[in-house]
Amino acid sequence: MIGENIQGRIRSIINELSNSEKKIGELILKIPSEAINMTALELATRAGTSPATVIRFCKSIDIPSFTQLKVKLSSEIESPTFEGYFDIKANEPVHEIKAKLLGNAYQSMKETIEQLNDQRIDEVVDVLLHASIIYVYGIGASHLVAENISQKWNRIGKPTICATDPHILISILVTAPKEAIFIGISNSGETKEVIRLVEIAKSYKIRTIGLTQFGANSIAGKVDYSIQTVRSKEAELRSAATSSLHAQFIAVDALFYTYASRQYDPSISMIRNSKEEIKKYMR
């Protein structure tokens, strides 16, 4: 079973926690091997907080209980994982840049796979399977992810619209059929246009799915189903999101291939048919 990178998850949101929860997180990161043998009371006493804070901390990092946190942390300690993202330097050799890019891509995708909750993926796939149509929207780099979703699901027979103009999308949402789904994509979870579209979709009884980075954010708090990727460290010098895009794409792939696995025969048939038609067109 793939681990869940508990320590990386704590590091990613440590500065957004309340002061008391932050003490718990900092202590776990400082003494992980000791923490797995403590009770909630012992950990709280050591951190100068309360057992209730320990429980709230577990909820903040999306772990149901302190017992489960210790089990997952114990497994992680036994199989330590590589941590860190690397930025490029001035006049750096090409081979070193390539190595860093590969390492960053692997790290963001690996941590996202570790973080994705299997049950949540299954729940979202259930919703998508019963959807009459999917509407998806994202801005900037997130629009690339939205286009990827549209291309994938359209190819296996699920009508999917990737809108570029929010005004047009609003008019579509207002007249959406029953069982329609809206997917809003924003790495930060705070893109105002996406937030507003989520609110409009919900006002018309359209179920909503959010794809954001890990942690508390506006979109994750508003949607019916939240899928969250690792909060990777982006390079200071970049022309567009890189690590976050890799994380979003691997999350979409996890959803898509789970969906296709549930509808294996028809999905394979439609993919083969589309390939054949494209070959004929090219000839």
Side-chain angles (χ1 to χ4, degrees), residues 43 45 58 72 123 185 196 213 226 248 254 261 265 276:
L43 183 66
T45 301
C58 293
K72 295 175 187 296
E123 289 174 351
I185 304 170
R196 185 66 186 118
Q213 67 182 359
S226 177
Q248 288 175 320
S261 178
D265 288 336
E276 283 301 315

Side-chain angles (χ1 to χ4, degrees), residues 3-7 9-10 24 28 31-44 54-55 57-59 61-79:
E4 295 190 31
N5 193 18
I6 300 302
Q7 294 175 83
R9 189 180 298 193
I10 295 171
I24 297 294
I28 290 174
I31 55 165
S33 296
E34 293 181 49
I36 60 176
N37 295 311
M38 292 180 175
T39 64
L41 176 60
E42 290 170 338
L43 183 66
V54 175
I55 303 304
F57 169 79
C58 293
K59 301 295 184 184
I61 63 169
D62 201 24
I63 301 297
S65 68
F66 183 54
T67 298
Q68 289 192 37
L69 185 148
K70 291 196 293 181
V71 170
K72 295 175 187 296
L73 184 61
S74 176
S75 175
E76 184 174 301
I77 292 170
E78 292 173 4
S79 304

Side-chain angles (χ1 to χ4, degrees), residues 67-271:
T67 298
Q68 289 192 37
L69 185 148
K70 291 196 293 181
V71 170
K72 295 175 187 296
L73 184 61
S74 176
S75 175
E76 184 174 301
I77 292 170
E78 292 173 4
S79 304
T81 57
F82 168 77
E83 292 287 345
Y85 294 86
F86 299 93
D87 205 348
I88 66 170
K89 300 176 182 177
N91 301 311
E92 193 164 14
V94 173
H95 73 274
E96 290 186 12
I97 292 174
K98 291 193 298 182
K100 286 182 177 180
L101 290 174
L102 180 61
N104 290 350
Y106 172 77
Q107 185 75 357
S108 61
M109 290 190 288
K110 177 177 181 294
E111 290 184 354
T112 292
I113 286 295
E114 290 173 339
Q115 184 172 287
L116 290 174
N117 181 284
D118 292 1
Q119 182 178 348
R120 200 161 300 162
I121 292 290
D122 279 331
E123 289 174 351
V124 172
V125 168
D126 284 339
V127 171
L128 294 175
L129 282 168
H130 294 94
S132 58
I133 189 169
I134 300 170
Y135 303 109
V136 58
Y137 185 79
I139 292 176
S142 291
H143 179 69
L144 300 177
V145 183
E147 286 185 325
N148 182 40
I149 290 173
S150 177
Q151 187 272 339
K152 278 182 164 60
W153 268 270
N154 275 318
R155 197 172 185 185
I156 57 173
K158 179 68 71 175
T160 305
I161 295 176
C162 174
T164 56
D165 186 333
H167 296 165
I168 293 175
L169 181 56
I170 290 171
S171 65
I172 294 173
L173 292 175
V174 168
T175 58
K178 291 183 178 179
E179 302 300 323
I181 297 294
F182 174 71
I183 303 176
I185 304 170
S186 167
N187 184 56
S188 68
E190 300 297 341
T191 306
K192 61 181 182 180
E193 293 88 347
V194 180
I195 293 172
R196 185 66 186 118
L197 287 168
V198 167
E199 292 171 344
I200 292 170
K202 289 182 71 67
S203 71
Y204 282 89
K205 311 301 182 184
I206 298 171
R207 280 183 291 182
T208 54
I209 299 168
L211 177 58
T212 71
Q213 67 182 359
F214 179 69
N217 60 67
S218 298
I219 291 174
K222 290 178 180 293
V223 294
D224 299 306
Y225 304 91
S226 177
I227 298 294
Q228 296 194 314
T229 63
V230 68
R231 184 178 299 207
S232 56
K233 179 181 179 295
E234 289 290 356
E236 293 181 8
L237 179 62
R238 62 175 193 164
S239 59
T242 44
S243 295
S244 60
L245 265 180
H246 290 305
Q248 288 175 320
F249 280 133
I250 198 70
V252 169
D253 281 349
L255 284 170
F256 176 74
Y257 287 105
T258 302
Y259 182 104
S261 178
R262 298 264 204 97
Q263 299 284 309
Y264 187 81
D265 288 336
S267 294
I268 290 296
S269 177
M270 283 182 276
I271 289 173

